[in-house]
Amino acid sequence: MENCLFCKIVSGEIPAKKEYESENILVFHDITPQAPFHVLIIPKVHISSMNQIEDLDPLITREIFLTIPKLAKQNGISEKGYRLVNNCGDFGGQTVHHIHFHMLGGRHMQWPPG
Ligand code: 5GP
Ligand code: ZN
């Protein structure tokens, strides 16, 4: 997808600090971390938001979710816990229109979110 920031990170046109990569997904550190551990988990294929999740191969959706507890374990945040966030659309606060899941850990989170 032309002019998509995260597609450019996938292609390597824009650098990012990668945490994990497979054929279908990429995990990289958020440029403005909101917690000691803050990564973004994305499918490599361009899907604009949660509203289009049906367009994503279910095996890739599965891979995204199965990767999360592995990342937690590898980064020592399984036991204390962490937060997974998807911002969808304008009201959801989505700023990059390539579906992504924020994974935040390493501090106690507040609720409700703003
Ligand atoms: P959203 O607000 O769409 O849920 O999340 C987009 C996230 O992408 C934000 O947390 C923002 O800090 C992050 N971000 C924006 N530009 C870049 C970038 O160039 N590199 C990285 N690694 N993260 C970015
Ligand atoms: Zn994209």
Side-chain angles (χ1 to χ4, degrees):
M1 182 76 167
E2 232 177 293
N3 283 327
C4 169
L5 178 65
F6 288 175
C7 282
K8 286 180 181 170
I9 286 178
V10 169
S11 72
E13 195 183 323
I14 291 175
K17 188 182 164 198
K18 291 179 186 176
E19 174 71 25
Y20 172 77
E21 184 168 16
S22 75
E23 189 188 342
N24 297 311
I25 77 169
L26 181 63
V27 181
F28 56 97
H29 289 263
D30 198 293
I31 204 165
T32 313
Q34 300 300 321
F37 180 80
H38 184 178
V39 294
L40 302 172
I41 303 148
I42 67 168
K44 287 187 171 178
V45 66
H46 183 87
I47 300 285
S48 54
S49 83
M50 196 63 198
N51 286 336
Q52 284 76 39
I53 192 80
E54 262 196 330
D55 295 342
L56 188 61
D57 182 332
L59 285 175
I60 302 179
T61 304
R62 185 173 191 273
E63 185 185 349
I64 288 172
F65 283 94
L66 292 183
T67 298
I68 290 160
K70 289 181 191 162
L71 291 167
K73 201 169 179 188
Q74 284 159 12
N75 288 280
I77 59 171
S78 292
E79 220 168 289
K80 285 205 165 168
Y82 49 92
R83 182 169 291 175
L84 192 65
V85 173
N86 171 257
N87 296 327
C88 179
D90 193 16
F91 273 23
Q94 185 176 6
T95 59
V96 178
H97 297 277
H98 179 130
I99 193 171
H100 51 281
F101 297 92
H102 297 256
M103 183 177 175
L104 303 119
R107 69 169 171 85
H108 202 289
M109 300 295 160
Q110 308 299 313
W111 192 264

